[in-house]
Amino acid sequence: MDIIKVMKNAELSAIFEQMADVMEILGEDRFRINSYKKVARVIGELPSDVEDLLSSGELAKLPGIGKSSLAKIEEFIITGKITAYIELLKKIPPTLLDLLRIPGMGPKGVKAVYEQLHVTSIAELKKAIESGSLAELPGFGEKKAAGIAKGIAFMETSTGRIRLDQALEAAEMVNGLLKNCSGDLSIHTAGSLRRRAETIGDVDILVASEKGQEIISAFTKAGFVREVLASGPTKGSAIIQTTTIPVHVDVRVVPEKSFGAAAQYFTGSKEHNVRLREIAVKQKLKLNEYGLFKGKRMIAGRTEQEIYHKLGLDYIEPVLREDRGEVEAAKNHSLPELIQFKDIKGDFHMHTTASDGNCGIAELAETAKDLGYKFICITDHSKSSAIAHGLTAKRLARQIKEIREHNEKIKGITILAGTEVDILADGSLDFDNKLLTELDFVIASIHSGLASPRQKVTIRTLKAMDNPYVNCIAHPTGRLIGQREAMDLDIAAVIEHAAQTHTALEVNANPMRLDLKDVHCKMAIDSGVKLVIGTDSHSTGQLGLIGFGVATAGRGWARKTDVLNCLSVTKIKSFVAAKRP
Ligand code: DGT
Ligand code: CA
Ligand code: CA
Ligand code: ZN
């Protein structure tokens, strides 16, 4: 499955959005700005892959997509860049883009401070706030200036770590560039990104080549580079501009014969590496990023596999390399056989236009078939999620019928009728049991009162699990990475109760959530609780996010037997039946 392909819609939409913002800062024609905004919106809301729509000619027919936008989209799909976008960015100081990310600024505000106060960076804006000159600017005032100061503080206190999908976009940009500049290079993403950690500090990329200087200068001279932090014969560090945020990327060039050793070393984690080096020392060997050495003689280095084997260990998958018992398990040959994408037979969590999704049942089913799935489960919101246009009991009853009809027509995949029913404040559910009986699978989740005290959110969750029709709790802690803290949930109690009540827990695959997180997945599995991986898709493209869920479950040591997505429809039905009266 190709996560990158899936992500092109969002990436393109963000580029058009940013072009509109930059044009607004530059004071360009309002009509053109609006047309770019329109393109951004149309692409952002497309129900399927922009690349497919372009090749079928359907994209050209959409309202708002004119000849020149079409040409830009085509250029992006073919070359990975848009020349007009690069040219546009050259017209403003790159640090001005940071100002756009401050909550409460917007392109109008950026234009005002840039033109009238000559502010080009966050540091300069802070000075303008302190001196009071921002508050004096027409359209700002004390209150707005204070709000912007808060926005800056929020940005600065956030960890500086980025989301997996953002890191992956940066890695793809650099990998693509390096592949173009020199034919058949071996390129490896390393560091926390390769381990699929939940947030990423910086992106590490390794290249096997003898032409270090050439590769590093191609990297540091690339159009997307905003700032070069270091540049040497084998290593370059730079801040690159992705479609959403600036990202720190390290590129290292190593000789082919050390490629495995370097991949091992730079994949980390640091804690895992320390354990490995201890084992090497005990065997009177030396392990570093160049290889495994006995005296001066290199005994392994070309591949990671040979390094692990020469140390007397089974090969350890990158997602496990956190020093959480994997080294011992590799020694005893008791590592789990981790779940992989190919084991996934379906997806349990997705929304249609009936609630807040932007595609229909049939489109989701067809895309799922392309992914090789045997089933999907439609889980629109319930009525209490009013902003998400949640379904009333009557509308859900109608949707169940509709799903049964689609099942008659669409071959090769089973569409399960489900719901993402709200857990109300007292732990009861938004639908009564009579209606839930009609469904194939029920996921329940909390969407309100997340800041309530520990006792309250925990009891609310436990009570929902007591309902014999609830098969899974979705995004159990409710966190949004970098935006909203998890609920203060007693996770051990939730896991224990899930085991007792035969309720699965979701690993929400959206990179904003990854909820349950890796260590909680491991706790759940150790207690015999089954996991459900759900993409929580609101468009067909998002079905591709499943890879993040598989990786997070894998970081929790999940085997395919721990995850309901790997079961046949018949086995899923028995799982559900086992809890019902
Ligand atoms: P991040 O970037 O904070 O998300 O985490 P990593 O794991 O990508 O860390 P990073 O970028 O600082 O370094 C990449 C890898 O290089 C790291 O996972 C292990 C290795 N490494 C870095 N510094 C050390 C060190 O001092 N000792 C050892 N053994 N390995 C190190
Ligand atoms: Ca890193
Ligand atoms: Ca690094
Ligand atoms: Zn959902």
Side-chain angles (χ1 to χ4, degrees):
M1 181 219 20
D2 194 341
I3 291 170
I4 301 311
K5 190 170 168 215
V6 167
M7 287 170 56
K8 268 189 187 149
N9 293 22
E11 204 177 320
L12 253 173
S13 168
I15 290 178
F16 276 94
E17 187 75 47
Q18 194 161 78
M19 287 176 81
D21 286 347
V22 174
M23 281 163 33
E24 190 155 355
I25 293 170
L26 293 169
E28 290 189 16
D29 178 49
R30 175 54 44 194
F31 178 77
R32 276 192 67 206
I33 296 171
N34 285 340
S35 75
Y36 277 61
K37 281 195 176 156
K38 169 103 197 219
V39 175
R41 198 168 62 237
V42 170
I43 298 174
E45 288 171 358
L46 283 179
S48 41
D49 198 324
V50 62
E51 206 167 338
D52 296 342
L53 292 175
L54 179 74
S55 53
S56 69
E58 273 172 77
L59 196 64
K61 294 183 205 146
L62 291 175
I65 309 277
K67 265 211 184 85
S68 80
S69 335
L70 205 61
K72 291 187 183 78
I73 295 167
E74 200 160 15
E75 183 189 359
F76 182 75
I77 304 260
I78 295 168
T79 67
K81 61 180 202 290
I82 297 177
T83 314
Y85 172 58
I86 296 169
E87 291 304 316
L88 199 60
L89 286 183
K90 282 184 190 155
K91 295 186 187 171
I92 57 163
T95 47
L96 212 53
L97 295 175
D98 298 336
L99 300 186
L100 282 171
R101 287 167 37 234
I102 301 172
M105 275 299 282
K108 270 200 199 68
V110 177
K111 178 176 162 63
V113 298
Y114 179 44
E115 281 181 353
Q116 299 173 53
L117 303 175
H118 309 292
V119 162
T120 62
S121 67
I122 290 182
E124 287 169 13
L125 184 62
K126 275 163 80 174
K127 275 189 200 140
I129 294 171
E130 278 160 30
S131 71
S133 54
L134 185 69
E136 284 162 24
L137 208 61
F140 280 83
E142 294 286 347
K143 212 168 143 197
K144 195 160 177 200
I148 288 167
K150 252 196 202 148
I152 296 174
F154 174 80
M155 276 173 65
E156 289 180 338
T157 50
S158 67
T159 55
R161 299 184 65 81
I162 62 172
R163 291 196 317 258
L164 257 181
D165 54 324
Q166 297 170 322
L168 203 56
E169 186 197 337
E172 276 307 311
M173 286 168 71
V174 176
N175 290 351
L177 173 102
L178 295 176
K179 276 201 183 110
N180 274 349
C181 88
S182 179
D184 41 55
L185 285 176
S186 317
I187 303 178
H188 228 307
T189 304
S192 50
L193 177 56
R194 182 162 178 239
R195 305 196 310 277
R196 293 293 190 265
E198 63 185 35
T199 60
I200 307 299
D202 65 10
V203 171
D204 301 281
I205 290 171
L206 287 179
V207 182
S209 170
E210 303 299 331
K211 295 181 285 188
Q213 194 76 67
E214 225 170 279
I215 287 161
I216 298 301
S217 54
F219 166 55
T220 53
K221 290 200 181 86
F224 50 64
V225 166
R226 258 178 68 163
E227 190 187 345
V228 178
L229 304 172
S231 174
T234 60
K235 185 185 166 186
S237 284
I239 307 291
I240 76 166
Q241 182 64 45
T242 69
T243 52
T244 54
I245 50 163
V247 175
H248 177 155
V249 180
D250 289 341
V251 174
R252 294 180 181 85
V253 186
V254 297
E256 192 82 56
K257 70 176 187 345
S258 294
F259 196 47
Q264 196 292 310
Y265 182 89
F266 291 111
T267 295
S269 68
K270 208 165 152 180
E271 293 76 12
H272 174 88
N273 287 356
V274 168
R275 297 296 313 280
L276 244 52
R277 222 164 27 214
E278 283 168 11
I279 293 178
V281 168
K282 270 194 200 132
Q283 300 176 26
K284 304 224 157 33
L285 303 173
K286 197 174 94 191
L287 177 64
N288 59 28
E289 62 265 51
Y290 304 104
L292 182 64
F293 297 88
K294 190 173 208 160
K296 285 220 162 81
R297 193 167 60 90
M298 178 159 139
I299 59 171
R302 191 169 292 272
T303 68
E304 289 187 312
Q305 277 81 357
E306 62 181 19
I307 291 175
Y308 283 98
H309 292 161
K310 281 268 159 62
L311 290 172
L313 303 172
D314 290 342
Y315 176 72
I316 301 174
E317 294 289 341
V319 290
L320 293 180
R321 300 181 195 171
E322 299 290 347
D323 190 25
R324 293 179 184 151
E326 74 280 6
V327 177
E328 292 75 6
K331 218 182 292 179
N332 315 327
H333 311 294
S334 62
L335 280 170
E337 195 175 319
L338 294 183
I339 180 177
Q340 292 176 36
F341 171 67
K342 68 173 172 53
D343 302 320
I344 298 284
K345 289 189 174 28
D347 188 340
F348 282 94
H349 189 163
M350 62 197 69
H351 300 268
T352 73
T353 45
S355 64
D356 59 348
N358 71 4
C359 55
I361 298 165
E363 292 161 278
L364 286 163
E366 290 302 335
T367 308
K369 264 166 69 174
D370 292 343
L371 288 167
Y373 288 175
K374 294 281 181 269
F375 71 88
I376 52 169
C377 183
I378 304 292
T379 54
D380 275 311
H381 289 286
S382 62
K383 60 183 182 300
S384 287
S385 282
I387 8 170
H389 199 225
L391 275 60
T392 58
K394 210 164 155 190
R395 288 179 64 214
L396 177 58
R398 218 180 310 138
Q399 191 188 48
I400 296 172
K401 255 198 191 151
E402 208 184 314
I403 290 173
R404 306 294 180 224
E405 283 162 18
H406 273 101
N407 262 322
E408 296 289 309
K409 278 182 281 183
I410 302 172
K411 298 294 161 216
I413 189 159
T414 304
I415 309 167
L416 298 172
T419 178
E420 177 179 12
V421 61
D422 263 47
I423 302 173
L424 306 178
D426 63 356
S428 66
L429 300 179
D430 210 10
F431 290 130
D432 60 28
N433 285 355
K434 197 162 151 264
L435 180 55
L436 298 180
T437 325
E438 303 297 315
L439 295 166
D440 301 310
F441 198 88
V442 173
I443 65 179
S445 59
I446 293 181
H447 289 111
S448 62
L450 281 83
S452 306
R454 187 175 181 86
Q455 172 102 350
K456 180 133 197 228
V457 289
T458 304
I459 288 177
R460 199 174 161 189
T461 307
L462 300 188
K463 200 164 160 217
M465 288 194 273
D466 284 331
N467 184 304
Y469 298 96
V470 169
N471 307 116
C472 171
I473 302 292
H475 44 76
T477 77
R479 72 160 172 183
L480 291 177
I481 291 174
Q483 285 179 36
R484 184 172 74 202
E485 290 294 324
M487 291 190 288
D488 186 13
L489 203 62
D490 181 344
I491 196 82
V494 167
I495 287 171
E496 192 192 324
H497 207 64
Q500 281 164 2
T501 58
H502 193 69
T503 312
L505 295 176
E506 183 183 64
V507 184
N508 192 292
N510 190 303
M512 309 253 302
R513 291 191 182 269
L514 305 177
D515 181 10
L516 290 182
K517 64 189 213 150
D518 52 9
V519 289
H520 292 158
C521 289
K522 188 151 191 278
M523 281 170 68
I525 292 166
D526 290 344
S527 302
V529 173
K530 298 293 177 204
L531 301 178
V532 156
I533 302 177
T535 55
D536 206 346
S537 288
H538 288 71
S539 63
T540 52
Q542 290 184 339
L543 290 172
L545 298 175
I546 195 97
F548 294 121
V550 173
T552 301
R555 287 176 59 80
W557 294 49
R559 302 153 298 183
K560 63 180 177 189
T561 48
D562 299 311
V563 180
L564 297 189
N565 305 61
C566 306
L567 296 181
S568 64
V569 170
T570 318
K571 293 241 168 80
I572 290 166
K573 292 202 163 150
S574 339
F575 178 88
V576 170
K579 189 178 176 183
R580 292 191 178 188

